[in-house]
Amino acid sequence: MKFLDQAKVYIRSGDGGAGSVSFRREKYIEFGGPDGGDGGRGGDVWAEAVEGLNTLIDYRYQQHFKAKIGVHGMGRNRTGAKGADVTLKVPVGTQIYEEDNETLICDLTEEGQRFLLAKGGNGGFGNAHFKSSTNQAPRRANPGLEGQERTIWLRLKLIADAGLVGLPNAGKSTLLASVTAAKPKIADYPFTTLHPNLGVVRIDAREFVLADIPGLIEGAHEGVGIGDRFLGHVERTNVMLHLVSALEEDPAAAYRTVRKELEAYGHGLTEKPEILALSQIDTVDAATIADKTKQLKKAAKKEPLPFSSVSRDGLDEVLRALMTHIEEERKPEEQSEPDPRWQA
């Protein structure tokens, strides 16, 4: 299945059904009177976050969604049925924007969360509604109201506990493949990863979700390389793991390049907790590791964690550091939830 994290969709709710003009014509009833029923309401358009989806690929092949119109009213005071609704099923973490792709309509961050995007039109009144003492045989009925139509943007931001950032070939996909069941493409050329990947990491009987995004290069915020469009998938993470390869000639410059792109992107990424790691240490000798670690520490003002995804040297220490940050973020949520033992 291809990965798609943005889609443009046209939606329209159903028109209301028209009211009916009808009169009772029954044997032995001298004065029948009006009995035209009201029209049914048009169908609504909903968005719902569901489990089991991690892409918006379905909306590449269908971009128009229209709810059914309400059924017209009928004689004998029969009201028309409501039109059938349409529900856009989207992955958890989907944001919905107006046509300008800037005005946020809703953010579906929990499974089962629903939002009304377009309300169906009300049904028209039948002639029975207009009966009065001065107008006992009305011959008018209202048409149903028109539904709403709009064009919206669906934008997916994957929900993960930790996110991987770094230059291309920093070892992000190798790390994801080493610690999770995910099978990202791995090769020795830049931009092997073309779309985000997710995996579940298990360490010390605890689990968290790790997201890998395509590498950043200088000028990514201006669209150079793959650009920074996939950084939105790191916005929801609790902590970032910044990888710098031990094969980099200047690890300090590599670190500053990525930090500059994160700052240019904005959205609070530079304020997120960051764990710095020197990857691919199995490819160099101990003296080089010490030298690259020293350079990186001087540039970042923090101690980098050296590790290898292939030999797994230092790998558990990196995962435990991530787990520590993630658990700190989870504690306020767990404390805010009431104890089910005290619920009636």
Side-chain angles (χ1 to χ4, degrees), residues 34 116 128 148 187 223 254 292 322:
L116 180 62
Q148 301 173 344
K292 297 292 176 69
L322 286 173

Side-chain angles (χ1 to χ4, degrees), residues 11 19 29 36 65 67 70 74 80 104 109 122 125 135 175 198 201 215-216 229 239 245 257 259 281 294 301 328 332:
I11 60 173
I29 297 179
F65 296 86
M74 293 168 281
L104 181 65
T109 58
N122 289 328
F125 291 132
N135 185 10
L175 171 62
L198 285 180
V201 181
L216 300 170
R229 59 166 296 201
V239 58
S245 174
T257 296
R259 290 297 296 183
I281 61 172
K294 184 178 179 181
K301 304 296 190 293
E328 289 177 357

Side-chain angles (χ1 to χ4, degrees), residues 15-32:
D15 297 340
S20 171
V21 176
S22 175
F23 295 91
R24 294 178 63 182
R25 292 179 176 84
E26 300 175 50
K27 194 174 182 180
Y28 305 122
I29 297 179
E30 185 176 2
F31 302 104

Side-chain angles (χ1 to χ4, degrees), residues 112-289:
Q113 190 175 351
R114 287 167 58 88
F115 188 85
L116 180 62
L117 295 174
K119 187 176 181 180
N122 289 328
F125 291 132
N127 68 335
H129 180 85
F130 300 102
K131 180 182 177 181
S132 68
S133 59
T134 58
N135 185 10
Q136 296 188 12
R139 297 181 178 274
R140 56 166 292 201
N142 286 349
L145 296 180
E146 291 187 354
Q148 301 173 344
E149 61 178 348
R150 65 199 303 187
T151 300
I152 58 174
W153 282 91
L154 307 178
R155 191 185 304 171
L156 173 62
K157 292 183 179 179
L158 296 176
I159 296 181
D161 297 303
L164 296 174
V165 295
L167 293 177
N169 279 11
K172 301 186 296 299
S173 296
T174 305
L175 171 62
L176 187 71
S178 177
V179 299
T180 74
K183 295 178 174 60
K185 184 178 180 181
I186 299 172
D188 60 354
Y189 54 83
F191 301 116
T192 311
T193 302
L194 298 177
H195 58 77
N197 293 295
L198 285 180
V200 178
V201 181
R202 186 175 179 84
I203 181 72
D204 298 334
R206 296 169 295 177
E207 292 182 347
F208 65 89
V209 179
L210 183 64
D212 168 31
I213 67 168
L216 300 170
I217 61 174
E218 187 173 0
H221 66 284
E222 298 173 347
V224 179
I226 295 182
D228 62 1
R229 59 166 296 201
F230 293 115
L231 278 178
H233 298 287
V234 187
E235 286 182 34
R236 300 185 191 272
T237 60
N238 296 325
V239 58
M240 292 189 303
L241 177 59
H242 188 158
L243 300 188
V244 178
S245 174
L247 295 174
E248 289 286 348
E249 293 185 6
D250 189 348
Y255 173 80
R256 285 192 290 265
T257 296
V258 174
R259 290 297 296 183
K260 181 181 178 181
E261 296 305 320
L262 294 177
E263 184 176 353
Y265 177 80
H267 299 280
L269 287 187
T270 53
E271 283 76 41
K272 280 188 177 294
E274 179 191 65
I275 294 175
L276 180 60
L278 184 69
S279 62
Q280 301 174 336
I281 61 172
D282 59 296
T283 59
V284 295
D285 55 32
T288 303
I289 295 172

Side-chain angles (χ1 to χ4, degrees), residues 47-113:
E48 180 181 1
V50 299
E51 186 183 14
L53 291 179
N54 57 7
T55 175
L56 296 172
I57 190 66
D58 293 341
Y59 299 98
R60 170 169 286 178
Y61 306 107
Q62 182 181 359
Q63 293 94 26
H64 291 74
F65 296 86
K66 299 179 181 180
K68 299 296 184 181
I69 66 173
V71 177
H72 300 323
M74 293 168 281
R76 299 182 185 177
N77 290 310
R78 288 177 292 177
T79 299
K82 180 183 181 298
D85 294 342
V86 166
T87 301
L88 308 183
K89 296 185 182 298
V90 297
V92 177
T94 300
Q95 293 180 326
I96 301 179
Y97 288 83
E98 294 281 6
E99 188 174 6
D100 60 7
N101 208 2
E102 294 181 357
T103 306
L104 181 65
I105 299 173
C106 66
D107 191 358
L108 305 177
T109 58
E110 298 177 4
E111 181 187 346
Q113 190 175 351

